[in-house]
Amino acid sequence: MARKPRSLRRKTYYAMKMKRAVHLLFYKRHSKPGAKGWELRRELGSDYIKVTNLLDDYLENLDLQVKTVFEEGSPPENPTREELNRARFFITLKGSLKTKEAKLIGWRIDDIAGLAVSIAYIISKRGKASRKEVGDVLRNKLPNWRVDINLNRYIRYGYLNEDENGQLYLDWRTRTEVDEKALVDLLLRTESQSANQTSEERDTIGT
Amino acid sequence: MPSTSRKKRLGREELQGIVELCESIEDKGLNPFLVDIEDLVAIMREYFKEWEKPDELILDAEALNRISTIIKLQSEWVKHRATSLYTDPFLIEDKLRTLNVQEIVEVFMKTWHPIVELEQISIHGLDESLKYWESLPPLDERWKNIGFQEWETGTVTLKEMVKQGLLADEAFSERLENFWEELKGDAGDDGKIDYWNFIGAETYKETVDRAYLTSFLVTYGYATLEIHPLEEDIFVKPYQKPVSSLGKEQLVSVPIPVSYEEWLRWRESREV
């Protein structure tokens, strides 16, 4: 029987590895989703980065991506093998969801707004703010009884972390899912329509 | 010129003040540059030669440690301001207050890339489920006792009961025998007595004591309970001879609350 050409063998090899990577990255096996670099290396071999890059290219058509989150926080320019082994790999949405789509994944609009406000406020406070302060900001837009429920939910999901002194920090899920810089930039650029309307109405009345 | 002891007292107050100031900056996340480090160090230097006792030196070390924390915070503050993420917190706070919920959500949705994750049962979960299934009694057995909850019985030693004052220090078996005789005497013509009418006493403590003894009468086969779930009636029926049902049928523990409120209700119903 004739042997497959070398390029075909390589293709089959990586197709198999990609399938295995999909199983590892999509299905949740620990308390956190995704997989650590060292787990991928153990299951996929030393060229696991090539496999995840191929998978990333493949998933792009489906508006998904392989996201690497480094322990050190901000991604290093040229990550070392050690840094990659310690990093966690996730599958995330590459683009963004429409507001009405968020309901499909179980989020109420108020809950998303509360999460956005909590994250933005903590970023503005250099990554740390007291639970009371964040709660006070949320009470501005959310009913009082929802504030604690929501904060506990964000903590449970891994968006926020709370220490024993009641200080809130951004946690692993925020670092993975939220483009913090873009969030702050967009917030500052967005003009409130309701505020504009009020000033326009004021001008009209004035004239 | 202040005396040495007065200077020491003043110095301690100053150090305490430094510790508290640094703590409040750290805890409240205030601008660490509000503190003039040189001033604080000068104060510490001024009093340092006065310290002799260990507690004075410890206070001095703590103040120095707090100052070093503030220097670290200053360094982080500068680093953060140098990053592209730095924006005046008041600007963001103001935006968060002026934008309505819909606007905030629209901004957030553009920057949010949620993780895709699928939940599935693990081998461990499957193993646990199989063990549970194996130990689960069939429905007909469980429905047989519907209306009652089965509880694992706890244990308490006689010594503990005596220590807590629930039992007198007399031979327990003798007391149980006497109590059984009392039950046989109190049972009506139909051979049973209402549970609360039997255990109820003038004081709550005595009532609990009698409930405890009754539970032993039932467990040891001196009596049984007759329960009418719909009417919520419980009767105690004494046996003329102890009956052992151990190994013959499945024993079921029946929890009967003997709370203070229940006892008050029982007493009031007696008075009416």
Side-chain angles (χ1 to χ4, degrees):
Chain A
M1 196 172 142
R3 278 170 65 87
K4 284 181 184 174
R6 190 182 162 82
S7 63
L8 203 62
R9 284 211 307 274
R10 278 175 63 82
K11 235 178 178 176
T12 316
Y13 169 83
Y14 280 110
M16 270 169 52
K17 294 278 177 185
M18 269 169 61
K19 279 182 193 169
R20 182 80 189 118
V22 163
H23 298 168
L24 290 166
L25 293 173
F26 274 91
Y27 285 102
K28 195 175 159 189
R29 290 160 304 121
H30 312 293
S31 57
K32 283 184 192 175
K36 283 271 195 179
W38 62 264
E39 286 178 285
L40 294 173
R41 184 168 53 87
R42 195 183 58 194
E43 299 291 329
L44 305 173
S46 56
D47 58 348
Y48 72 98
I49 293 296
K50 184 168 181 184
V51 178
T52 55
N53 287 340
L54 286 169
L55 181 62
D56 188 47
D57 290 343
Y58 184 82
L59 290 175
E60 195 178 358
N61 300 323
L62 306 171
D63 198 22
L64 298 174
Q65 64 181 342
V66 178
K67 175 110 189 223
T68 313
V69 180
F70 291 90
E71 264 189 357
E72 295 76 14
S74 51
E77 211 165 297
N78 291 309
T80 62
R81 186 188 286 263
E82 274 307 303
E83 284 170 331
L84 284 165
N85 283 344
R86 286 202 308 272
R88 187 170 273 277
F89 292 70
F90 301 93
I91 305 284
T92 71
L93 197 70
K94 193 175 176 74
S96 53
L97 289 168
K98 290 196 165 43
T99 310
K100 59 183 176 188
E101 285 176 316
K103 286 179 192 161
L104 298 176
I105 55 171
W107 284 82
R108 292 174 72 253
I109 186 166
D110 282 356
D111 299 340
I112 301 174
L115 177 62
V117 168
S118 308
I119 292 173
Y121 187 79
I122 293 172
I123 292 172
S124 78
K125 296 284 176 179
R126 293 183 300 128
K128 171 181 149 185
S130 74
R131 185 175 174 125
K132 189 187 169 301
E133 278 177 65
V134 179
D136 287 344
V137 179
L138 289 179
R139 268 179 209 99
N140 205 22
K141 300 271 162 69
L142 293 179
N144 193 30
W145 63 272
R146 285 199 71 88
V147 170
D148 264 335
I149 295 175
N150 276 29
L151 281 176
N152 290 338
R153 188 180 177 196
Y154 306 148
I155 292 168
R156 203 171 57 247
Y157 284 4
Y159 286 104
L160 305 181
N161 186 15
E162 184 178 14
D163 69 9
E164 64 277 11
N165 300 319
Q167 297 289 327
L168 295 178
Y169 304 83
L170 300 181
D171 208 358
W172 65 271
R173 198 181 279 272
T174 301
R175 288 198 300 274
T176 310
E177 296 185 353
V178 182
D179 186 339
E180 295 168 34
K181 188 181 177 319
L183 175 65
V184 171
D185 288 348
L186 275 170
L187 267 180
L188 293 176
R189 283 213 308 265
T190 306
E191 288 299 325
S192 170
Q193 294 302 311
S194 48
N196 285 349
Q197 274 171 8
T198 317
S199 62
E200 278 167 21
E201 279 163 18
R202 208 171 38 235
D203 292 344
T204 318
I205 293 165
T207 54
Chain B
M1 177 115 179
S3 65
T4 315
S5 64
R6 189 174 141 75
K7 193 169 183 187
K8 271 192 171 187
R9 190 168 54 79
L10 278 173
R12 265 201 295 271
E13 282 173 10
E14 292 272 25
L15 290 187
Q16 201 59 50
I18 290 173
V19 170
E20 282 166 15
L21 173 71
C22 298
E23 264 178 357
S24 72
I25 297 255
E26 203 179 333
D27 293 344
K28 291 175 186 166
L30 300 173
N31 180 354
F33 285 98
L34 290 172
V35 177
D36 189 336
I37 298 290
E38 280 184 26
D39 271 2
L40 300 187
V41 172
I43 293 169
M44 288 191 68
R45 189 176 291 134
E46 183 188 341
Y47 291 102
F48 183 68
K49 54 186 178 294
E50 305 292 332
W51 310 136
E52 292 160 346
K53 293 178 188 167
D55 61 325
E56 292 166 343
L57 291 164
I58 287 170
L59 184 61
D60 185 77
E62 194 189 345
L64 190 64
N65 184 34
R66 293 286 171 186
I67 290 175
S68 69
T69 310
I70 295 295
I71 294 171
K72 189 177 165 224
L73 286 176
Q74 288 182 343
S75 151
E76 283 170 8
W77 183 273
V78 171
K79 272 186 205 161
H80 179 71
R81 287 214 165 199
T83 64
S84 52
L85 262 180
Y86 175 73
T87 317
D88 191 329
F90 295 109
L91 276 178
I92 296 185
E93 247 186 280
D94 183 56
K95 278 286 173 189
L96 294 176
R97 284 183 201 283
T98 52
L99 294 176
N100 64 37
V101 168
Q102 184 67 36
E103 288 163 341
I104 293 173
V105 169
E106 274 166 22
V107 166
F108 185 66
M109 296 308 283
K110 287 176 191 159
T111 62
W112 188 34
H113 313 282
I115 294 171
V116 182
E117 53 189 298
L118 300 169
E119 300 269 359
Q120 85 289 350
I121 193 157
S122 63
I123 293 295
H124 176 72
L126 212 56
D127 188 39
E128 289 293 310
S129 313
L130 280 171
K131 279 180 193 157
Y132 168 75
W133 184 255
E134 277 167 14
S135 65
L136 190 67
L139 263 188
D140 52 356
E141 265 183 46
R142 278 184 283 154
W143 283 2
K144 205 164 54 182
N145 304 315
I146 201 154
F148 313 110
Q149 283 179 288
E150 287 186 37
W151 293 85
E152 282 292 320
T153 49
T155 56
V156 61
T157 63
L158 184 60
K159 267 187 185 173
E160 280 168 350
M161 295 299 288
V162 172
K163 200 175 161 188
Q164 287 171 20
L166 289 170
L167 280 184
D169 194 5
E170 64 178 84
F172 185 69
S173 58
E174 191 185 318
R175 193 159 179 219
L176 208 60
E177 291 278 342
N178 291 338
F179 198 60
W180 182 36
E181 290 304 325
E182 190 189 328
L183 173 63
K184 284 196 278 190
D186 286 357
D189 294 336
D190 51 358
K192 62 187 180 186
I193 179 172
D194 178 82
Y195 178 79
W196 266 97
N197 287 344
F198 180 59
I199 65 153
E202 281 311 298
T203 63
Y204 178 62
K205 183 174 176 291
E206 202 184 329
T207 304
V208 172
D209 186 12
R210 290 174 69 82
Y212 174 74
L213 286 170
T214 306
S215 75
F216 273 93
L217 286 183
V218 174
T219 308
Y220 290 169
Y222 290 91
T224 188
L225 291 177
E226 189 180 291
I227 300 169
H228 301 169
L230 292 177
E231 292 85 357
E232 294 185 338
D233 287 332
I234 303 172
F235 296 95
V236 191
K237 283 172 80 174
Y239 291 127
Q240 290 310 311
K241 285 182 181 175
V243 176
S244 173
S245 47
L246 208 68
K248 291 177 190 164
E249 59 185 82
Q250 192 184 1
L251 292 173
V252 177
S253 294
V254 182
I256 304 171
V258 185
S259 64
Y260 184 70
E261 289 74 16
E262 286 282 337
W263 173 72
L264 280 180
R265 269 198 291 278
W266 170 79
R267 213 173 59 164
E268 275 167 20
S269 71
R270 298 265 303 174
E271 280 166 7
V272 171

